[in-house]
Amino acid sequence: MRQAHHPEAGQITLTGVMAALSDPIRVGLVRVLADGRERGWGELRAPVAKSTLSHHLRVLRDAGLTRTRQEGTRCFVILRRTDLQARFPGLLQAVLAAAEDEDVGHQVGVKDAGWPA
Amino acid sequence: MRQAHHPEAGQITLTGVMAALSDPIRVGLVRVLADGRERGWGELRAPVAKSTLSHHLRVLRDAGLTRTRQEGTRCFVILRRTDLQARFPGLLQAVLAAAEDEDVGHQVGVKDAGWPA
DNA sequence: TTCGATGTTCGTGAAACATCGAACAAGCTA
DNA sequence: TAGCTTGTTCGATGTTTCACGAACATCGAA
């Protein structure tokens, strides 16, 4: 649970991003994060074991799509919109639109009502 | 060498396209075809064995990125720009721009001077 | 029909990937 | 300190991918 590695914006590669987005679960995760809000790990819902979810989040992080922050024993994930837009203008938008259209990764979501009332 | 299968425009999937574009050689092939011209198989140059090149072209075709046409014993490939634009507006453009910027698949090209003089 | 050119398919390995459960590490809390 | 929570890492397993050379199929030309 040590601080994970994040590539710099300039080191994000096209093929890396494409590979990361070639899995429906990861696309679903990106969709969940698309609103720009930071999400807690435990808030994320996906139909896989937690070790597998951890793996997918790692792939997204390594590809430079997300950033992970530690806080005590739990961690939070956020989409690197700005970095992605700078490196690959329009790409994220196009992917998100297509993902919405196809409803890719619909099985992924967030635990409803993170904040009470 | 029978007629290969091509998915219809509506059957092209986002993850399929992403997976197809997660390999530098295939991105290079798409770049070569990006001008919209139809290319002969033998015109294409890539640093792999011909069976491997055949494999990559098959992946692109199966993903719906290209269309292959037979003519006698040789075949021609063309990028399905219109279908892609209809299904995933802006995606191809964004990918091509990013690929140019990074020079992904620079090892792929065409045999120079297909037409004499 | 025989030959040559052009791609595809097959058989095979090596590497990468997705997935799981179990074990582990690190930080709160009692 | 002991225990709980939260993720990560490990090891195993099965699938997929990439790569090659060899064999094959198909067509045009001699």
Side-chain angles (χ1 to χ4, degrees):
Chain A
M1 221 142 141
R2 69 181 160 294
Q3 189 53 14
H5 167 255
H6 293 87
E8 292 170 32
Q11 295 178 321
I12 301 176
T13 69
L14 177 65
T15 51
V17 169
M18 300 309 259
L21 294 177
S22 66
D23 182 290
I25 298 235
R26 290 195 292 261
V27 173
L29 289 168
V30 169
R31 281 180 72 190
V32 164
L33 297 169
D35 65 2
R37 299 239 310 259
E38 186 176 60
R39 296 290 185 176
W41 207 107
E43 215 178 332
L44 302 171
R45 286 286 165 270
V48 291
K50 64 174 185 171
S51 54
T52 305
L53 180 55
S54 183
H55 161 67
H56 284 307
L57 286 171
R58 178 161 154 63
V59 171
L60 288 174
R61 191 176 56 220
D62 288 351
L65 283 160
T66 60
R67 193 179 294 283
T68 296
R69 180 175 65 83
Q70 302 271 144
E71 192 175 306
T73 152
R74 66 186 72 177
C75 65
F76 299 86
V77 196
I78 191 171
L79 193 60
R80 297 177 64 177
R81 304 199 66 141
T82 312
D83 290 341
L84 290 168
Q85 177 63 23
R87 189 102 183 82
F88 308 123
L91 182 59
L92 187 59
Q93 259 178 280
V95 170
L96 285 173
E100 290 295 324
D101 188 57
E102 257 187 41
D103 202 17
V104 182
H106 57 87
Q107 335 113 40
V108 181
V110 287
K111 191 198 254 172
D112 40 25
W115 9 263
Chain B
M1 218 144 141
R2 70 180 159 293
Q3 189 54 13
H5 168 254
H6 292 87
E8 293 171 32
Q11 295 179 321
I12 301 176
T13 69
L14 177 65
T15 51
V17 169
M18 300 310 261
L21 294 177
S22 67
D23 183 291
I25 298 231
R26 289 195 292 260
V27 173
L29 289 168
V30 170
R31 283 179 69 191
V32 164
L33 297 169
D35 64 2
R37 299 238 311 259
E38 187 175 60
R39 296 291 186 175
W41 206 107
E43 216 179 330
L44 302 170
R45 285 286 165 272
V48 291
K50 66 174 183 170
S51 55
T52 304
L53 180 55
S54 184
H55 160 69
H56 283 306
L57 287 172
R58 176 161 153 63
V59 172
L60 287 174
R61 191 176 58 222
D62 288 352
L65 282 159
T66 60
R67 194 180 294 283
T68 295
R69 181 175 65 84
Q70 302 272 144
E71 192 175 305
T73 154
R74 67 185 71 176
C75 65
F76 298 87
V77 197
I78 191 169
L79 192 60
R80 297 177 65 177
R81 302 198 68 141
T82 311
D83 290 340
L84 290 168
Q85 177 64 23
R87 188 105 183 80
F88 309 124
L91 182 59
L92 187 59
Q93 261 177 278
V95 169
L96 284 173
E100 291 295 325
D101 187 58
E102 258 186 39
D103 203 16
V104 183
H106 58 87
Q107 334 114 39
V108 180
V110 287
K111 190 198 249 171
D112 40 25
W115 8 264

